[in-house]
Amino acid sequence: MNHEDPVLLHTEGRVRHITLNRPRALNALNHTMVRCMGDALDAAGQDDSVIAVVLSGAGERGLCAGGDIRSIREDALAGGRTSLDFWRDEYRLNARIARFPKPYVAVMDGIVMGGGVGVSAHGSLRIVTERSRIAMPETGIGFVPDVGGTRLLGAAPGELGMHLALTGDPVSAADALLCGLADHYVPSGGLPALLAALDGCTTPEAVAATAGRHAGTAPAGELAGHRDWIDTCYAADTVEEIVERLDGCGVPAAKQAATTILAKSPTALKVTLAAVRRARSLGSLEAVLDQEYRVSSTAFTRPDLVEGVRAQIIDKDRNPRWSPAELADVTDEDVARHFAPLGDAELGLGPAAAGTG
């Protein structure tokens, strides 16, 4: 094992450990890492001596901050398509994680965003800590939640997922548990003991039981107390009406949510609203990933992604110039374009007809 490799693999007892190893980049995913994880899962799935996989991130800051959006922006500016190849393999990896036949334990400590959610929240045992900050912040860079995120958010109770999808707000451990993004809370100081206990397990059933025994009660979250206005406001038919309800309901947190939403890409907001609602009726994760690939492929060619990454990551002026700049100027045709079939370029994970309407 080369400690400079972007993904580290080692086995303790009967547990295969996968460690994302780009701590200076907050373990942001690139194509090499996605391929390495896919190969590691293939090997672990076929190895009868391995009873479980544990995913964690190197460094002190978090599991994974998402995809390498600097590279995606450079690819878009150059008129390339390597990002589409990356997403194709990444989304296939997300599906494999969800269908992995052995326990897949994701240690979601610290920052877990975007692609980091994709390699963790589809796992069978998802561990959060008091340090966890989990988010799908794509609308802030002119993009749309992907990596199966529209399915995860669409399945959250009430309209909690839509609130998170449009605002991009991060959630803590308790709120991640409430939204179905995690299974167990373990204090960060208890992770070494948990991992040591997992390494001593000899059956898949013991892995699940061990995770449960080490779990505790998470510090109180915020979303449960906001359900009334969230469920009412985000049930509106359009983003414009959602913002109007938020701004006018008289709750300071709702008004803040409206302000947050209005700073995001208008196109990304409208596509995200449609994508999450469509995901609720698509059935399988594979069908949702097919839809997300269509959306991502179109968003990649639009100006807001390049501009959003510039404003947030490159120049860091936090002042993106969206095109169009106003919600009212994003047409139904603009939104529908993101869901159009890709022909021979389809991801092709789900039934051929899924999501092509």
Side-chain angles (χ1 to χ4, degrees), residues 48-337:
D48 290 340
S49 71
V50 173
I51 61 162
V53 165
V54 173
L55 174 74
S56 57
E60 300 298 320
R61 297 167 63 199
L63 174 65
C64 175
D68 189 343
I69 57 176
R70 282 178 179 267
S71 297
I72 292 170
R73 179 178 186 269
E74 291 167 1
D75 186 33
L77 285 170
R81 61 165 293 112
T82 57
S83 298
L84 303 181
D85 296 333
F86 164 68
W87 286 324
R88 183 176 293 276
D89 287 343
E90 182 185 25
Y91 299 175
R92 289 182 176 276
L93 174 64
N94 302 146
R96 289 160 77 186
I97 289 169
R99 305 291 181 241
F100 192 63
K102 302 175 183 182
Y104 181 101
V105 184
V107 181
M108 301 171 74
D109 185 38
I111 293 173
V112 186
M113 295 185 177
V117 174
V119 295
S120 58
H122 297 299
S124 53
L125 286 168
R126 304 158 301 173
I127 309 298
V128 286
T129 76
E130 79 284 355
R131 292 168 14 98
S132 296
R133 295 295 179 270
I134 301 168
M136 296 297 291
E138 286 78 7
T139 57
I141 58 165
F143 199 53
V144 177
D146 63 338
V147 298
T150 59
R151 176 178 171 84
L152 292 166
L153 295 172
E159 295 293 335
L160 292 177
M162 192 65 77
H163 170 65
L164 300 181
L166 296 182
T167 62
D169 284 351
V171 294
S172 63
D175 288 337
L177 291 164
L178 172 64
C179 291
L181 300 173
D183 301 298
H184 296 302
Y185 169 78
V186 177
S188 58
L191 289 177
L194 168 64
L195 294 174
L198 291 174
D199 290 342
C201 292
T202 58
T203 67
E205 294 76 18
V207 170
T210 297
R213 281 198 303 272
H214 282 75
T217 302
E222 298 180 359
L223 290 181
H226 295 321
R227 280 293 302 274
D228 285 348
W229 63 261
I230 286 176
D231 288 353
T232 298
C233 295
Y234 288 92
D237 291 337
T238 66
V239 178
E240 290 95 328
E241 189 180 352
I242 288 172
V243 171
E244 182 179 348
R245 290 186 184 186
L246 290 169
D247 197 46
C249 76
V251 179
K255 192 174 185 67
Q256 178 57 54
T259 300
T260 298
I261 289 170
L262 288 175
K264 312 300 184 184
S265 158
T267 300
L269 289 169
K270 288 199 171 184
V271 176
T272 295
L273 180 69
V276 173
R277 288 183 172 165
R278 285 172 175 239
R280 290 170 175 163
S281 63
L282 283 176
S284 71
L285 172 61
E286 287 80 2
V288 171
L289 289 165
D290 283 346
Q291 172 176 276
E292 290 178 348
Y293 188 73
R294 296 180 198 113
V295 170
S296 297
S297 296
T298 300
F300 180 68
T301 68
R302 309 302 296 165
D304 278 2
L305 177 58
V306 167
E307 173 61 12
V309 177
R310 179 206 65 76
Q312 298 296 331
I313 304 297
I314 307 301
D315 297 337
K316 298 182 180 179
D317 59 25
R318 306 293 193 269
N319 187 33
R321 295 179 289 274
W322 305 122
S323 178
E326 302 294 335
L327 284 166
D329 294 328
V330 181
T331 68
D332 291 344
E333 291 74 21
D334 292 332
V335 174
R337 184 182 302 119

